[in-house]
Amino acid sequence: MKFRGILLVGAALASGAAAACNRTFLVDATDKYVAAQAEGKPATLTAITADNLNYTESDKTVDITTGVLAQPMKIDHNRSIHDTTLCATFTELIVTDPAKPYVIATRMVFTNDKASLIETIATKPGDWAFNATGYLHWNSLENWDPIPADKRDTRAVIQAAGDAYFNRFDNASYAVPFGTPCARLEGGAYTDPRGAGGNTCSLGLPSTIVVTNRRYVVDEEMGAVSIFLGFPGLDRSVPQEPMPDSHLFRVEGGKIRYIHTVSAKALERSPVVRFWMGTTPVYLFGGPKHYQAIFASRDLTYNGIMLQIGFPKLWRMTREEIQRFANDKSGHKETPLPGTEHVPPQQRYWATKYHVLYDFLSRKHHIKPIVDEFARQFSRDVVEKFPLGQWTTLSIDELTRRDFTRCAITTLFGPKILELNPDFLDAFWYFDSYASVLVYGFPRWMYPQPFRASDRFLDRIEKYVEAGLKDFDWNGPDVDAQWEPHFGTRITRELTKWLTDAGFQRKSVAGALGTLVFGQNSNTIPVVSWMLMELNKDPQLLSAVRAEVADAFVTDPLTGARTLDTQKVAALPLLQSLFTEILRLRVSMVIMRVADRPMTINGVDVPRGALVHAYSRIAQTDEATWGSPEHPADQFWPERHIKYVEERDPETGTLRKRREFAMAASPACFFPFGGGVPMCPGRHFAKNEIFTMVAILVDRFEMEFVRWTNPDGSPSDRPAESDQRFSGIGSLPPTVT
Ligand code: HEM
């Protein structure tokens, strides 16, 4: 087996010498800092740093040779401001590299031509509202040109504008000189996403927060003030404790035009964080107590997310179609909610959606035949391709994204979808690469690519739907079949029939089916890739799994044919532990709900219409929850969820140890499939599908790791990493960029 890895990218080294504390000296210093960060070589700053330099990250002193500054990165944007009075600088860096995106704020203070303090806040996926691509995009729309000499404000005016903003935080009547337009950029969220041009900086400001320890950099030429400070209140578990925070203000004619914030660690430390997406408040909850409350709540709905994101962006419904769902208040259950009994069955859209997705994807008697069909197709079309008794070098990436995906799609949707569209897999993976931007990103007029990728993908599904509606005998014996060759499984047929009969446009029918293709493959394929990688890297693990899996095969005494018992394999403890560990580390989902009415979650007031988020990565990598002294939470450890039980062999009477699967922490802190009523309907099928692939492969083949490679097949000296572009929307595939 052969793997894909990633290429290490470097950048040019800066050179030059320091001079006195004037603008030229400070500009040279920030240039050197940016170059040192690009190269990941802090040593190149030695000429401008004092012997007793204090280097901090998020307010903690860190060894400069092992911190963020020692990581090379391709910097997409940098902006610095220079304060010749305080002899200090501020730099904003944006790195959109999907493998390791960052937004970094750095303040340097110089004494006698040498930096005595470099303080950095480096935000990355997991920090609240983090989105480096968004940060870059909104930044690029702003004008930060130097202010003409005759229009410059004094440093006192510029600093006062920034100070007024924070003074307002504990005094709602404090006058802040907001300009028009004025926009705030937090993480990747922008307060004026539609470019409406008003003062959106004043939206949603706190009124009881006293910020601490303000540290300034003021640049009159750029009309800018950077304020580093302590921001208490973000972390409600320690409400008095200030969090590291940076705000950069652009001030023109005494008025604030832009505000850029960088706040690190808030998510990881905070059980509850509130922020704003446009004008909507978002409450991000952390901790098992909160997760349980969110998943149990009836007032927090997933339907609101479908109306805002799922239907328009993925199902690609028209407004009128979305409105039909919005008008239906009768609930998802078979019996309408009290007071809605008059709603005709054909207008009970939520209930039908729930019934079609959940019955046909989750019920055992429906999924067992699908999984058996998958195992049959996988053995026939994938495994038989490789001759026994000889070595073949394969790319796991190729194998999973081509052969496995083809088999998974053919099982769920039938062979027609690929016969009619020979380039279907390309269209799907191309769409997949844009899915996060489509879901969270900008409107079509601003960023058309994701919509084009979606159009290309859905056009192919439409063709398949059209052919099915024409050729399939809707009154014939196959109408209730568990599998038939046009639509494949019942879920695909039922979804098509329901939406077509209800008069939804073809594109929406295709959108619903496309979301199913996406839910199925975008999540399972990366998981199976990671499982195979781990098995190939560790021969001991591979042979332990192989031994365990052997028990799940049944050999026909007459023909000698081996078939997999798909139910038995799903209960194997080591395989379950390996699967759970991959889901824990490689699935990054923001679970989203909308508050249907004003409510309180464990004492936190949440207004009607607010968004409630829970971030699986935070829950699933929490050290206190999952870590052990030998195996920290961020480390892959295939036996993390195994318990050894001693038992006596009934035949020999000797004591032996048996493995049992036992989740290493409370299931409340593990939600790769979401939770509550809208929990992923495909979760059982996903597990069965993944276990089937792994079991058949390890049973049939010897495997050996060959090397990591770059996308072009050339060798790489680095292993694959999680592709952070998918952060927040599902399984993180290995990066190939
Ligand atoms: C490792 C694999 C998978 C993961 C991690 C995963 C994860 C998720 C999550 C987190 C949700 C949202 C649940 C919530 O908000 O509480 C979801 C929804 C969904 N998933 Fe999965 N999923 C996987 C596999 C699958 C498979 C194999 C299918 C289909 C065959 C599927 C179909 C769906 C569908 C249709 C929805 C939306 C349900 C709705 O609109 O109500 N998923 N999935």
Side-chain angles (χ1 to χ4, degrees), residues 361-362 673 679-687:
L361 265 180
S362 301
F673 295 110
M679 193 173 188
C680 171
R683 61 192 184 281
H684 304 299
F685 179 52
K687 179 178 172 187

Side-chain angles (χ1 to χ4, degrees), residues 356-406:
V356 171
L357 287 181
Y358 285 79
D359 282 4
F360 294 112
L361 265 180
S362 301
R363 295 212 175 199
K364 209 170 165 184
H365 66 279
H366 285 304
I367 59 171
K368 167 118 182 36
I370 313 180
V371 176
D372 289 342
E373 176 64 31
F374 178 76
R376 230 180 348 264
Q377 291 196 19
F378 189 74
S379 300
R380 189 192 62 207
D381 299 338
V382 180
V383 173
E384 298 293 338
K385 258 176 57 175
F386 301 106
L388 287 179
Q390 69 186 62
W391 284 101
T392 308
T393 306
L394 294 169
S395 151
I396 287 201
D397 196 56
E398 283 278 320
L399 185 70
T400 54
R401 287 164 65 95
R402 294 276 123 202
D403 295 349
F404 293 12
T405 310
R406 174 179 291 278

Side-chain angles (χ1 to χ4, degrees), residues 302 353 357 361 519-520 523 589 593 672-675 678 680-682 685:
Y302 178 75
K353 170 176 174 278
L357 287 181
L361 265 180
Q520 179 193 25
N523 289 310
M589 284 281 184
R593 303 287 186 262
F673 295 110
C680 171
F685 179 52

